Amino acid sequence: MPLEANEKIWMDGKLVPWDEAKVHVLTHSLHYGSGVFEGIRAYPTKKGPAIFRLTEHVARLYRSAKIYTIEIPYTAETLIDACKETVRASGLPECYVRPLVYLGYGEMGLNPLPCPVNVSIAVWPWGAYLGDEGMQHGVRMKISSWRRHDPNIIPPAAKGTGQYINSQLAKVEAIRGGYDEAIMLNPQGFVAEASGENIFIARDGELLTPPLSAGALIGITRDSVIRIARDLGVNVHEADLVRTDLYTADEVFVCGTAAEITPVREIDDRVVGEPGPLTKKIQEVFHSAVRGEVERYAGWLEYVS
Ligand code: PPE
């Protein structure tokens, strides 16, 4: 998605003009992938833009930082307010929000401990992550030949910037192969997640998703889907899945902040089909919930003003 200059970017306490939001080429994180980040969405509601589960995203940012021994030099409250402020300043009715904690300029060499810790928050408009066509009719996925990293190699529980080179290997392989997105197996061969989404399958009216121990990120959309499904009376189980469970599922969808709920219509050239009833129902409830149209989920929205 090509970016267009927007209003302002929050950098260490100040809103700076978009074109001036720059870092030095000797920024530690640029060399060693030593940052943590979040992806959040703000949606339009009757009461103006609201950021979806903002406090939980910021809490995950701190957990990611803790895993990497990065001390964020701001309180969570400051970053929550900064996200709201940046959305407000953009004037955008809906947008993607990207807080980034990175190790800055001043020290080189692997040891991250002496590095300054910087924080930025940018927002931009972001449409259907896997395309409008995919959102409506489902995407075509490929099981990657690249494995998701093991928790004792690179922890999937953290959203670390450098971890995403693993996702990028898988993504490029899928795109070059003519697919929309990659599914990643863990080192044991069980399904972990997609390159940037969690995954669910429907079988006999129930939903199954890999457990976090299989190497999936603790997805906030995943959690929202589980809540919505259970509130609809649908059983949801965490279960280790193998690739053939995906091929033979009644329905498959992936979910994430950027991808929202995206149906999957094909995996490794096996047809799963057009979006099924469970996928469509959950998509519909999620779509309404994020826009403040479902009373039961009102607590998920944090208004920017
Ligand atoms: N797994 C991975 C690996 C992942 O990156 C994401 C989000 C998820 C699961 C879903 O998590 P959640 O957003 O909390 O439901 N991926 C982000 C990055 C997308 C990007 O291209 O950048 C996102 O959706 O914001």
Side-chain angles (χ1 to χ4, degrees):
M1 184 227 34
L3 284 169
E4 262 177 57
N6 196 329
E7 281 290 311
K8 299 249 164 77
I9 293 181
W10 191 94
M11 287 182 91
D12 295 304
K14 286 197 281 288
L15 281 175
V16 304
W18 183 277
D19 292 328
E20 289 167 28
K22 293 183 175 158
V23 295
H24 196 276
V25 75
L26 292 179
T27 295
H28 192 272
S29 291
L30 202 53
H31 295 251
Y32 306 115
S34 49
V36 293
F37 71 105
E38 270 305 316
I40 320 174
R41 271 188 192 268
Y43 289 95
T45 76
K46 283 200 190 108
K47 294 189 260 169
I51 308 183
F52 187 66
R53 302 186 73 169
L54 171 62
T55 300
E56 288 153 274
H57 277 282
V58 170
R60 188 173 65 185
L61 183 70
Y62 280 82
R63 289 197 302 270
S64 297
K66 182 177 189 183
I67 290 171
Y68 285 112
T69 65
I70 296 172
E71 287 206 31
I72 301 178
Y74 302 99
T75 62
E77 211 184 353
T78 299
L79 295 189
I80 288 168
D81 287 344
C83 287
K84 293 181 183 172
E85 189 187 356
T86 314
V87 172
R88 271 199 309 272
S90 75
L92 294 166
E94 62 182 303
C95 56
Y96 186 78
V97 184
R98 168 57 56 82
L100 170 68
V101 176
Y102 59 100
L103 302 186
Y105 170 84
E107 295 275 345
M108 283 309 261
L110 273 184
N111 180 9
L113 297 174
C115 293
V117 180
N118 296 113
V119 181
S120 65
I121 302 167
V123 307
W124 62 84
W126 213 351
Y129 184 64
L130 297 172
D132 290 321
E133 158 81 13
M135 188 56 111
Q136 277 182 29
H137 298 289
V139 291
R140 297 180 58 245
M141 301 192 71
K142 168 104 181 78
I143 294 179
S144 185
S145 70
W146 296 96
R147 293 288 167 104
R148 180 53 100 213
H149 29 74
D150 173 276
N152 293 307
I153 298 177
I154 293 181
K159 207 167 161 63
T161 57
Q163 307 187 201
Y164 281 81
I165 54 175
N166 172 245
S167 283
Q168 288 172 64
L169 288 168
K171 183 88 189 176
V172 168
E173 182 184 73
I175 290 174
R176 289 257 164 101
Y179 301 87
D180 301 305
E181 176 58 308
I183 294 167
M184 311 202 62
L185 306 181
N186 65 21
Q188 291 71 42
F190 294 108
V191 178
E193 58 180 346
S195 82
E197 305 90 24
N198 291 111
I199 190 163
F200 281 83
I201 70 168
R203 195 159 69 193
D204 301 328
E206 299 190 321
L207 285 182
L208 300 170
T209 192
L212 302 176
S213 58
L217 178 73
I218 308 168
I220 289 168
T221 319
R222 175 185 185 275
D223 180 71
S224 309
V225 165
I226 293 173
R227 257 290 293 286
I228 290 170
R230 290 188 174 146
D231 289 345
L232 289 168
V234 176
N235 286 327
V236 186
H237 306 287
E238 290 189 326
D240 272 325
L241 301 175
V242 293
R243 62 199 298 158
T244 47
D245 290 323
L246 305 182
Y247 298 167
T248 59
D250 299 329
E251 302 176 36
V252 180
F253 61 85
V254 292
C255 69
T257 298
E260 302 176 288
I261 317 283
T262 302
V264 178
R265 75 165 190 273
E266 233 180 87
I267 295 164
D268 285 353
D269 306 308
R270 274 80 168 176
V271 174
V272 178
E274 285 279 317
L278 263 177
T279 306
K280 283 209 268 205
K281 186 67 198 164
I282 288 166
Q283 242 185 347
E284 180 194 312
V285 176
F286 181 80
H287 185 270
S288 307
V290 297
R291 285 167 181 76
E293 292 157 13
V294 187
E295 187 49 39
R296 178 179 230 167
Y297 306 122
W300 283 345
L301 297 182
E302 299 176 45
Y303 293 90
V304 306
S305 47

